Amino acid sequence: MGMVKIVLPPEYPYLFETHLHTSRGSACANCSPTDAAKAYKKMGYSGIIITEHNWGGNTAISRHLGWEDWVRKFVRGYEEAEIWGRKNDLMVLWGYESCFDATEFLILGLTPDFLLKYPEIRYAGVEEQYRIVHEAGGIVVHAHPFREAYHIPKVRLYPEYVDAIEGLNCAHITLYRDKEMYNRKAIKYANENDFPITAGSDAHSVRLRGGGMAFKTMPRSGRHFIARLLSREDYLLSDGETWYDAYGKPLAEVEFN
């Protein structure tokens, strides 16, 4: 998918990216935070959530650093993008993608201070992660739960320890060719368990675009964003090609220029 300008449904003009990696924090990404922010703004997004790979995943930050030094470097990408966004009317929120032997979760609704306040998160398992994130006021989203790849030993589900499911992942359309089945399985699983559904691009460069959540009114903060997600309040989902309602049901197609 190349650079496009997204045509949003008229009643849902505020589009948010929920899954974005940059080269500052994710070793597998090749776009800087500022370049990513500029690209999203140009495409018509109102906000982005920076979700770098954490210490358990493909982080770009040395694991040999002390915790405070590691955190300071880990959040620099978010800080860089947020500075640009504040000057250019793009909301930039912080999150991260945690990894447990290739099973991954998006941690949303918090601020970087969370990592310094809860250093025990570094050694937490899936169950403990859920407790700590909830104590801090955030949520845990199971990212691409049914993805299959050489580095993923097996699909593992944790319905007791997540708050939402990433039902639409743009990478399943653009990178994992003909793998929309991953999204279909995720949507089915979410609805069977009454989980809210998120959508995102899983972008690692400025060329992977189109996924996200479009709102009727602008979220005010990260906490407000997750409150609206959990209540399924007035948003649509996109995988970069098709619009869906909050339960993953396809709507009439909206063309992309």
Side-chain angles (χ1 to χ4, degrees):
M1 178 185 295
M3 184 67 70
V4 296
K5 178 71 175 179
I6 295 177
V7 178
L8 289 160
E11 293 186 0
Y12 296 87
Y14 302 101
L15 181 61
F16 271 68
E17 172 64 85
T18 66
H19 193 161
L20 165 62
H21 300 275
T22 81
S23 58
R24 196 73 74 239
S26 299
C28 44
N30 60 19
C31 60
S32 75
T34 298
D35 285 345
K38 289 179 179 178
Y40 274 102
K41 178 65 177 179
K42 184 176 181 180
M43 291 184 64
Y45 283 75
S46 296
I48 58 177
I49 306 177
I50 305 290
T51 55
E52 306 287 22
H53 290 295
N54 79 337
W55 52 92
N58 199 16
T59 183
I61 314 303
S62 171
R63 294 178 178 85
H64 299 295
L65 294 173
W67 182 239
E68 291 189 8
D69 287 341
W70 191 93
V71 171
R72 279 194 288 269
K73 292 195 174 190
F74 183 65
V75 304
R76 281 179 183 170
Y78 156 75
E79 292 171 341
E80 179 181 323
E82 198 278 332
I83 289 171
W84 188 92
R86 206 175 335 126
K87 296 176 180 177
N88 294 277
D89 195 28
L90 179 76
M91 180 178 281
V92 179
L93 301 175
W94 180 78
Y96 65 88
E97 186 168 18
S98 65
C99 182
F100 299 85
D101 194 21
T103 299
E104 295 180 305
F105 305 89
L106 299 175
I107 308 303
L108 306 180
L110 301 173
T111 63
D113 289 344
F114 162 74
L115 294 177
L116 295 176
K117 186 176 180 180
Y118 294 90
E120 65 269 29
I121 192 71
R122 188 177 194 177
Y123 303 105
V126 173
E127 180 178 358
E128 185 69 358
Q129 169 184 258
Y130 184 71
R131 184 194 66 77
I132 294 170
V133 170
H134 268 234
E135 181 178 318
I139 64 169
V140 179
V141 180
H142 197 152
H144 42 71
F146 292 94
R147 178 180 291 176
E148 298 175 18
Y150 72 91
H151 65 286
I152 301 175
K154 64 179 178 179
V155 169
R156 297 183 297 171
L157 303 176
Y158 295 90
E160 302 93 341
Y161 305 121
V162 300
D163 302 290
I165 302 298
E166 185 182 56
L168 293 167
N169 184 296
C170 188
H172 294 159
I173 307 297
T174 56
L175 294 181
Y176 296 81
R177 297 184 183 278
D178 302 320
K179 297 302 183 185
E180 296 96 328
M181 72 179 78
Y182 301 154
N183 288 344
R184 291 196 296 270
K185 288 180 178 180
I187 290 170
K188 183 174 184 291
Y189 170 64
N191 285 323
E192 287 177 346
N193 291 274
D194 196 30
F195 283 123
I197 296 170
T198 70
S201 296
D202 200 354
H204 288 66
S205 77
V206 297
R207 295 184 59 80
L208 181 58
R209 294 285 161 264
M213 301 174 62
F215 293 87
K216 279 189 174 182
T217 59
M218 183 73 173
R220 298 188 300 270
S221 64
R223 291 287 177 89
H224 189 219
F225 178 94
I226 64 171
R228 295 177 70 177
L229 164 65
L230 296 178
S231 66
R232 299 183 174 95
E233 180 187 339
D234 288 337
Y235 57 80
L236 299 180
L237 308 168
S238 176
D239 61 8
E241 293 185 351
T242 304
W243 290 100
Y244 301 78
D245 70 10
Y247 295 87
K249 181 180 179 180
L251 303 178
E253 287 194 10
V254 178
E255 291 186 0
F256 287 69
N257 286 347

